[in-house]
Amino acid sequence: MTTPRIDAQGAPAVEELTEELGEWQRALRAQFPIITAHPDLAYLDSAATAQKPQAVLDTVHTYLTTTNANAGRGTYTWANRTTSLVEQARDRVRRFLADPAPTRSAVHFTSGTTEGLRTIARDWLPGLLADGDEIVVPVADHEANIAPWLEAQRQLARQGVHIHVRPMPYQQASGDYDHTALTELAGPRTRFVAASHIHHVYGGDMNIHRIRRAVGPDAVICLDAAQSIGHLPVSVADLDVDFVVFSGHKAMALPGTGAVWARQSRGPQFIPGGWSGTPNTVGIASLATALDWLDAAGSDRIGQWTVALAARLTDGLRRLDAYEILGCQSSLAADAAVQRRQGIVTFRHHAIDSGDLGFVLFSHGFMVRSDQHCQGSAGERTGSVRVSLHVYNTADEIDRLLAVLATLG
């Protein structure tokens, strides 16, 4: 298969890409039983949770019927196999992230991104900070990447350590981080920065490499990768961040599964506190298989496919006067020369409530998210409809969605 052409700004040429990757995509779509069993329904809510390929379902069945045991708590064969499975899964996460120093880093399994961020905030962050230090919090991102840091601030205050929370600056027109303003905001007491890789409402790549340049070489950067792992390549060899946190269920693994990757080079060692209870062994097994599946499919091609579908959707929506598309307005056209949305498109109808619009769309076979999307206090306060795409979605689904939306104008 040839590599699809990429335009000058790194965005796929939409029509050419969907044609060249069509056979590849159809083969992958056929591996999702829930998708193929409902050909009249279009699942457009993968930012909430991704569907599972047959390989993951097979792993779950095989594990539960041949190996199921607790990890690290037995000497018999099933327990030893489970213990080995968990350790191998840690290495699988490191390889998936292209970890350049896997013997130094740590991988801690959690129930998902929210618990992972909370674990860092509760068990690690207090050891980094002293009275008068500053942290930067993305107040218009997902609430899960805001609340834990504010909880840590309150926890430290009870101990007599007062830290300053600085809101991450944003570009008002696009919802992207304002890296120039962040450079001016960051100072010698800026010790920690929380950021999102892909914005869960606007769909933008938040240009994390620019954060490191803005805050300097010593500040710790914690990356919420809930909307990037499983959707596009994520390489910690390229991203100079200290933590990567993600949810397995958004990356085609089972619900209740996630991970924290810690570089272990800035600040204290990351060692989660408390007693280590029984891990979600079947979830961890599903995660390892999901990462295998994603690598085999090609995260780069998955990203190209979903970006192309999102561009097809924004290009059609911009022609419908009844709708407002959230986020960058310069990237709506299919031939836009600026960065496009990473498989997430969020919009409003000027006259129809988003909740009502969600019900109308489902009556036509489209499953979308319609609410405020758990955005932080500085984010959108009015509900909207979010379409979030994955490799099992098709250009035909986008075209049918646009046809229905046009009738509501």
Side-chain angles (χ1 to χ4, degrees):
M1 179 182 298
T2 59
T3 301
R5 181 176 64 82
I6 305 298
D7 69 23
Q9 296 298 321
V14 173
E15 293 298 333
E16 179 181 340
L17 188 144
T18 52
E19 180 178 349
E20 292 193 19
L21 290 184
E23 183 178 350
W24 164 85
Q25 189 273 339
R26 285 189 291 274
L28 295 183
R29 177 182 167 90
Q31 297 178 40
F32 292 84
I34 197 171
I35 298 295
T36 58
H38 299 92
D40 296 331
L41 296 177
Y43 181 75
L44 303 174
D45 196 20
S46 291
T49 197
Q51 298 303 334
K52 320 307 176 194
Q54 187 64 53
V56 170
L57 303 178
D58 290 343
T59 288
V60 171
H61 181 266
T62 299
Y63 173 79
L64 290 176
T65 56
T66 66
T67 306
N68 183 38
N70 213 328
R73 289 167 171 80
T75 58
Y76 52 92
T77 302
W78 295 355
N80 290 338
R81 284 206 300 253
T82 299
T83 300
S84 177
L85 180 151
V86 171
E87 291 309 311
Q88 290 171 11
R90 295 186 205 279
D91 291 335
R92 189 66 189 88
V93 170
R94 292 184 179 98
R95 293 198 311 275
F96 190 79
L97 295 176
D99 187 344
T103 59
R104 184 175 64 189
S105 65
V107 174
H108 173 64
F109 291 115
T110 70
S111 65
T113 302
T114 299
E115 186 196 346
L117 294 170
R118 271 218 166 102
T119 300
I120 297 168
R122 181 189 62 235
D123 298 338
W124 180 87
L125 187 61
L128 175 74
L129 301 174
D131 196 69
D133 282 344
E134 301 176 351
I135 66 174
V136 179
V137 174
V139 291
D141 290 10
H142 196 283
E143 186 67 26
N145 202 16
I146 304 169
W149 318 120
L150 301 181
E151 292 169 3
Q153 181 191 36
R154 292 191 292 269
Q155 173 188 341
L156 285 165
R158 289 192 292 269
Q159 300 169 5
V161 178
H162 299 280
I163 65 170
H164 303 286
V165 174
R166 305 299 188 200
M168 174 74 78
Y170 292 83
Q171 299 177 28
Q172 188 171 4
S174 65
D176 296 333
Y177 296 148
D178 188 333
H179 298 92
T180 300
L182 180 60
T183 302
E184 299 171 354
L185 174 70
R189 301 301 298 271
T190 303
R191 304 296 308 282
F192 178 87
V193 179
S196 299
H197 197 179
I198 303 298
H199 198 280
H200 73 294
V201 175
Y202 306 123
D205 183 326
M206 304 304 277
N207 293 302
I208 301 304
H209 60 286
R210 296 180 183 171
I211 291 181
R212 174 57 66 198
R213 293 203 297 264
V215 302
D218 299 324
V220 171
I221 299 175
C222 177
L223 186 63
D224 175 350
Q227 300 300 343
S228 56
I229 296 292
H231 297 264
L232 71 160
V234 179
S235 169
V236 296
D238 299 330
L239 296 172
D240 189 6
V241 298
D242 301 276
F243 292 98
V244 172
V245 189
F246 66 95
S247 297
H249 73 96
K250 297 179 191 289
M252 300 184 178
L254 289 187
T257 308
V260 175
W261 172 88
R263 187 182 292 274
Q264 306 284 52
S265 65
R266 297 179 180 91
Q269 294 291 289
F270 173 65
I271 304 174
W275 177 256
S276 180
T278 299
N280 179 3
T281 52
V282 66
I284 293 169
S286 77
L287 177 59
T289 297
L291 298 183
D292 287 343
W293 191 93
L294 290 164
D295 265 347
S299 293
D300 55 342
R301 286 184 290 181
I302 292 173
Q304 291 170 359
W305 181 261
T306 56
V307 167
L309 293 187
R312 192 183 191 101
L313 179 55
T314 58
D315 189 72
L317 275 172
R318 73 187 177 96
R319 306 171 194 276
L320 303 177
D321 293 338
Y323 296 91
E324 170 196 6
I325 306 172
L326 306 188
C328 178
Q329 299 300 297
S330 300
S331 62
L332 303 182
D335 58 353
V338 298
Q339 177 179 271
R340 295 176 182 154
R341 287 159 177 76
Q342 300 290 316
I344 295 175
V345 178
T346 306
F347 57 90
R348 298 189 187 99
H349 192 287
H350 291 306
I352 303 174
D353 175 79
S354 63
D356 293 338
L357 182 55
F359 281 115
V360 170
L361 291 177
F362 181 64
S363 72
H364 289 274
F366 300 100
M367 292 176 277
V368 298
R369 174 83 175 263
S370 54
D371 56 25
Q372 293 181 353
H373 316 296
C374 302
Q375 200 169 1
S377 60
E380 303 285 342
R381 306 268 42 94
T382 303
S384 53
V385 169
R386 183 181 69 183
V387 170
S388 50
L389 305 159
H390 219 309
V391 69
Y392 35 72
N393 293 120
T394 66
D396 177 67
E397 289 175 340
I398 298 302
D399 294 342
R400 288 191 287 116
L401 174 64
L402 286 168
V404 171
L405 292 172
T407 66
L408 306 174

